[in-house]
Structure formats: structure tokens, C-alpha cells
Amino acid sequence: MFSFEASLDLPLIWFGLIVTALFLYVLLDGFDLGVGILFPFAPSHQSRDVMMNSIAPFWDGNETWLVLSGGGLFAAFPLAYAILMPALYMPVIIMLLGLIFRGVAFEFRFKAVKSRPIWDYAFHFGSLLATFMQGMIIGAIVTGFRVEGRSFAGHTFDWLSAYSFMTGVGLLFGYALIGATWLVMKTDGDTQQWARKCASYVLGYVGLFLAIISISLPLMNAHVMTLWFSLPNFFYLLPIPTATAGFFILICSDLHMGRELRPFFLSIGVFFTAYLGLGISARAPARPETSSDFILVKSPSKPASKNSRTSFFRPDARVSLS
């Protein structure tokens, strides 16, 4: 019977789909989470109404990409799912509770009168909590988990570290930036001017945290250091940080020049280059016959022990998908 098995690399295809879904979630749900982060600081009740209306047609559907990425991980990479989920149960549950709380507040706010300030803060803190947990999940995955055999062997709070806390705060500023530039594009008058000031303010913090993470990651892992700074890799990869710096300069210029559309798309560019840089750093060197050496790897040269760690960043890594 005719089969595409010889010509199609299904693990690689599924990996691409999951990575794409995650990136789309970060972008599409990022701007409405960013609006929620900025929500209580709006200059007036009318501005908050405008902010809420600007994301009303999109916020619910944006979370579909998160469901797709989680379901895809479970279906295509069950071992990865079986190790990641026990390690991240608590931050994932807290994130989901934040998203649920935000959704309830979104619906109730339109119907409330006297209790509207309560739902305003519920919308804000739900967005804040979900974003912070997403950032901490990223930091926890970067630092890795203890694995014994084919199971997570760490502790409940292994995900909680100074590095994951830093990535959580960094993502708060990142979502605030994309949310503010969204409001610059979608609103006018006092709300737009306030959003423009917010974007200018958080842009510096986004650059600061992005620089800290970009510097600390090679220092934490020798393979990442070699990958980025050895020749000729340095010259091949130089366009990524150069483009990122260019995006920051253009965003700053556009915000001060009064442009409305381009800051949002340039903010997407910042997220794309950061995502691309993380993906390149996550690619451990593997033998030519391995195809999906991107996700949840473990060392083939040492027996599993309680002290072994599974991470995206192992220099002696080989893929374990099933």
C-alpha cells in the first residue's frame, strides 16, 4: 500500500505545528492579556470601556491556539507531555484559573453597574496572573527538570526559581508592550495618547529583560554559548539581535512621531525574533539520523538517575519522543 511514511517526518511536522500554535497564542492572546495588565491604569472609565470593546471580538477565540498546542503535545509527544505536565501542574493550573477568572470578569463587567470596579480588578488580576505564570513556565522549561527513567522525579516547586521569576516579570512587560501598541492602533483621543505613553514606558523594560535573558542563557549553558559565539555561527546569527535592536529603535521613533499602525507590528517583530532566538538556542546537536531533536531531550550516554535533568538545553542530547 502506498505510504508517505518514507517521505514525511511526522514528528518534525507536529513539532512545527505546536511551535506555530504557541507563537500564534503568544501574539494573539498576548495583546488582550496586555490590555488587561494595563486596564486599571487607564485615565478614565470611558477609556476602560474603549479598551474592553477593542478586544471584545477577539479575546475568546485567541485561546484556541493554547488548546491546540496542549492537545498537539499530548497527541504527538506523549512522553514529553508525561514529563512536562507533572513538573508544571501548579503553574499551569494557576494560569488556567487566571484565564477563567479573566473570562468571567469580562462577561460580568458588561452587565454590572455598582460592582463594575470589582470586575475591572478581576479582569486585571486574572490577566496579570495568567501572564506571569506563562513566563514562569518558560523559565522553568529553560532551566530543566529532574527525570528518572521516563518520569518526572523532581519536586512540586521545582518550577519556582529566580530565573523563572525573572522570565515571568519580563513577559508581563512584553505583553504590556504589545497590548499598549494594540491600543495605539485601535483607539484615539485620550486613550490613544495614554497608550502611547505606556508603550514608551514599558519598551525600556522589555529591552532590559530581553538583554538579561539573552546574556544569562549562554552563561548558564556552554552549548548555547558555543552555538551563538563560535565562528562562523556568530555571523550567521548576528541578523537576529541586529533586527531586534532595529525593531526597538523603530518602535521608539514611531511612538514619538505619532504613528499608529507600525508600532504594533514592530512589537510582533520583537516577539518573533525573541521566539526565534530561543528556538535556535533550544536546538541541541544530534546525530544525522535523528529528526526531531528539538523537544524534551535526555542524555544517551548516562543511565537515568534522580539527579539527571531533562531540558531543552543539553549539549549531549538525544531525542526521546515516546
Side-chain angles (χ1 to χ4, degrees):
M1 185 176 69
F2 180 76
S3 174
F4 288 100
E5 185 176 354
S7 57
L8 293 180
D9 192 339
L10 288 180
L12 184 60
I13 292 172
W14 267 106
F15 175 79
L17 290 173
I18 293 170
V19 167
T20 302
L22 279 174
F23 181 65
L24 289 173
Y25 171 76
V26 167
L27 291 184
L28 298 177
D29 206 35
F31 71 77
D32 59 56
L33 284 170
V35 170
I37 292 169
L38 299 172
F39 199 69
F41 309 108
S44 65
H45 295 296
Q46 291 77 15
S47 293
R48 281 190 280 274
D49 291 339
V50 170
M51 292 168 65
M52 191 71 80
N53 290 332
S54 73
I55 62 173
F58 310 104
W59 73 274
D60 199 12
N62 291 342
E63 295 172 1
T64 304
W65 298 106
L66 183 63
V67 176
L68 175 61
S69 58
L73 182 65
F74 175 74
F77 304 108
L79 178 58
Y81 185 89
I83 294 176
L84 279 176
M85 286 307 297
L88 298 172
Y89 269 143
M90 187 167 291
V92 168
I93 290 173
I94 295 173
M95 178 195 72
L96 293 176
L97 289 175
L99 292 174
I100 292 170
F101 204 55
R102 182 190 68 148
V104 172
F106 193 99
E107 297 295 339
F108 277 42
R109 183 186 182 276
F110 284 111
K111 305 181 185 302
V113 179
K114 293 183 179 179
S115 61
R116 177 167 290 191
I118 296 175
W119 297 114
D120 285 349
Y121 283 105
F123 179 67
H124 167 67
F125 285 110
S127 302
L128 201 71
L129 190 63
T131 301
F132 185 64
M133 286 298 109
Q134 289 175 19
M136 294 200 75
I137 289 170
I138 294 172
I141 291 174
V142 168
T143 54
F145 310 104
R146 287 199 299 272
V147 174
E148 183 177 2
R150 298 162 67 90
S151 302
F152 171 66
H155 301 290
T156 304
F157 292 98
D158 277 2
W159 56 274
L160 185 60
S161 66
Y163 189 86
S164 63
F165 184 86
M166 179 186 66
T167 55
V169 175
L171 193 62
L172 285 174
F173 284 108
Y175 279 1
L177 173 64
I178 199 170
T181 54
W182 168 265
L183 293 174
V184 170
M185 181 176 65
K186 287 291 185 178
T187 63
D188 55 17
D190 292 340
T191 306
Q192 186 187 68
Q193 293 303 315
W194 168 80
R196 197 180 298 277
K197 292 178 182 178
C198 288
S200 299
Y201 178 77
V202 300
L203 181 64
Y205 286 98
V206 174
L208 175 64
F209 278 97
L210 194 57
I212 293 173
I213 293 170
S214 299
I215 293 171
S216 63
L217 190 53
L219 295 177
M220 290 168 54
N221 187 283
H223 162 63
V224 178
M225 176 75 77
T226 302
L227 179 64
W228 281 89
F229 294 101
S230 62
L231 297 178
N233 287 2
F234 176 79
F235 297 105
Y236 294 151
L237 299 176
L238 186 60
I240 296 175
T242 303
T244 305
F247 289 145
F248 274 97
I249 294 172
L250 289 173
I251 292 171
C252 184
S253 174
D254 287 355
L255 290 173
H256 285 89
M257 292 178 64
R259 289 195 172 98
E260 298 180 353
L261 297 178
R262 204 164 71 167
F264 176 72
F265 295 102
L266 290 171
S267 300
I268 291 177
V270 170
F271 271 84
F272 177 75
T273 53
Y275 197 73
L276 182 61
L278 184 63
I280 291 173
S281 299
R283 194 191 186 286
R287 291 190 267 280
E289 65 271 14
T290 61
S291 58
S292 299
D293 50 337
F294 305 87
I295 187 167
L296 211 57
V297 296
K298 66 180 182 180
S299 169
S301 57
K302 299 179 182 179
S305 67
K306 291 184 179 180
N307 294 323
S308 66
R309 296 184 73 83
T310 296
S311 170
F312 280 95
F313 304 99
R314 291 293 300 276
D316 56 346
R318 181 181 175 87
V319 178
S320 180
L321 297 177
S322 59

